[in-house]
Amino acid sequence: MNDLTPFAPHADAPPRAIGQMRLSTKRHAGRTVLDTLYQKGASKVVFPRSPLGCTGVMLNTSGGVTGGDRFENDAVAGAGTHLCLTTQACERAYRAFPGQVGRIRTVLRVEDGATLWWLPQETLLFDGCDLDRRLSCDLAPGARALIVEPVCFGRIAMGETQVTGRVSDRITINQCGAPLVMDGWELTGDMTAQLARRAIGGGAAAMVSLTYVAPDAERHLDPLRDLLPPAGGASLLAENTLVMRLLAPTGFELRRSLLPILDHLTGGHLPLCWRL
């Protein structure tokens, strides 16, 4: 993976957490099965029974991401398989020492006739966090993908309503070597104040970006728009590419709007951990 050079530790910095996860699926006896699995450090994956394909639930045993931590995810949905990747709970981006950046790199590949759902639960940004996250997804001609990244700014239920720090997030989705989606955002400094601006967040404290790539993308556009609140929008970038962004005042409100959308796009097969 690129851009994972080590950082010089801060004099008072705690030990870094490092995690690596690599897996792939294949067809066997007419169903999706695990082909390869490698996990190292703070990254673990468990595989509950699933009525549809293979579902992997990712765990970060370090409890979150702080400055200097490095996590790598690499997943391949083999030809004709169905792979869903989610998380046991919300990821946490903790306060970081000055000059210490937590990095997450995810590389996904979806082969011909395969479907991949990337459905992590919310990333919670703590006051003082410094997070750099990159996700790339490469799709074969007949591949399908649902890529979702929800984010919450601060722990509102704990009274943390002011969040400063830095977050840089990039999502790149290609098909047959051609770019379908190149999405990115970055906030530095007083993120709460920036989100309060009408042209940026209108006072939102949670948001989600969603990309759905499939031949039937256009068919889902109107149903998704019907499910969206006023602070949300969905568009077609191409016949097979639907994108959506949604803002909400709290994580609770975000979920209330997002869950019916995910149920619609997954045909009611949203992983159980999303409902606990």
Side-chain angles (χ1 to χ4, degrees):
M1 302 220 176
N2 296 326
D3 200 18
L4 283 165
T5 53
F7 294 89
H10 186 279
D12 300 318
R16 287 195 305 253
I18 295 177
Q20 291 179 308
M21 179 277 289
R22 296 196 299 269
L23 64 84
S24 63
T25 55
K26 65 180 180 181
R27 292 284 292 178
H28 178 72
R31 61 190 183 94
T32 299
V33 298
L34 196 63
D35 186 21
T36 63
L37 173 63
Y38 173 83
Q39 47 193 351
K40 176 182 177 181
S43 292
K44 306 296 179 188
V45 191
V46 296
F47 298 91
R49 291 182 180 178
S50 173
L52 184 66
C54 176
T55 295
V57 180
M58 301 177 293
L59 296 80
N60 177 357
T61 60
S62 70
V65 181
T66 188
D69 291 353
R70 293 180 294 159
F71 288 87
E72 303 175 44
N73 305 307
D74 192 319
V76 179
T81 67
H82 189 292
L83 173 62
C84 174
L85 292 173
T86 185
T87 55
Q88 181 192 35
C90 298
E91 184 62 278
R92 294 162 175 81
Y94 293 123
R95 176 182 293 273
F97 284 102
Q100 292 278 295
V101 182
R103 297 199 175 194
I104 302 175
R105 299 290 184 266
T106 299
V107 176
L108 307 173
R109 191 167 82 249
V110 193
E111 296 182 350
D112 190 42
T115 298
L116 186 143
W117 293 345
W118 175 260
L119 299 174
Q121 297 188 63
E122 298 89 339
T123 297
L124 305 181
L125 303 177
F126 285 49
D127 186 37
C129 68
D130 197 334
L131 179 65
D132 188 282
R133 186 168 65 176
R134 301 286 184 270
L135 181 148
S136 66
C137 179
D138 290 308
L139 298 131
R144 297 168 175 250
L146 173 59
I147 308 294
V148 178
E149 285 286 7
V151 178
C152 295
F153 297 84
R155 298 164 295 164
I156 295 176
M158 303 292 291
E160 187 177 73
T161 57
Q162 192 75 19
V163 182
T164 62
R166 188 190 77 92
V167 179
S168 178
D169 199 16
R170 299 286 186 273
I171 296 175
T172 303
I173 302 174
N174 300 312
Q175 189 163 38
C176 305
L180 290 178
V181 176
M182 299 182 72
D183 185 28
W185 60 276
E186 183 169 338
L187 292 174
T188 302
D190 190 336
M191 292 188 277
T192 302
Q194 294 174 66
L195 288 167
R197 297 172 58 184
R198 185 173 182 179
I200 297 179
M207 72 176 189
V208 62
S209 63
L210 179 152
T211 302
Y212 178 77
V213 181
D216 64 347
E218 186 174 3
R219 180 172 65 84
H220 294 288
L221 181 60
D222 287 338
L224 256 63
R225 285 176 170 171
D226 291 340
L227 292 169
L228 283 169
S235 301
L236 282 177
L237 295 185
E239 289 185 358
N240 70 333
T241 307
L242 185 154
V243 294
M244 184 200 83
R245 180 149 296 178
L246 168 62
L247 299 170
T250 65
F252 175 80
E253 292 296 330
L254 182 73
R255 278 212 169 202
R256 188 158 71 172
S257 297
L258 181 59
L259 284 175
I261 291 169
L262 295 181
D263 275 330
H264 173 81
L265 291 175
T266 63
H269 291 287
L270 190 61
L272 181 61
C273 53
W274 267 87
R275 306 188 190 280
L276 298 178

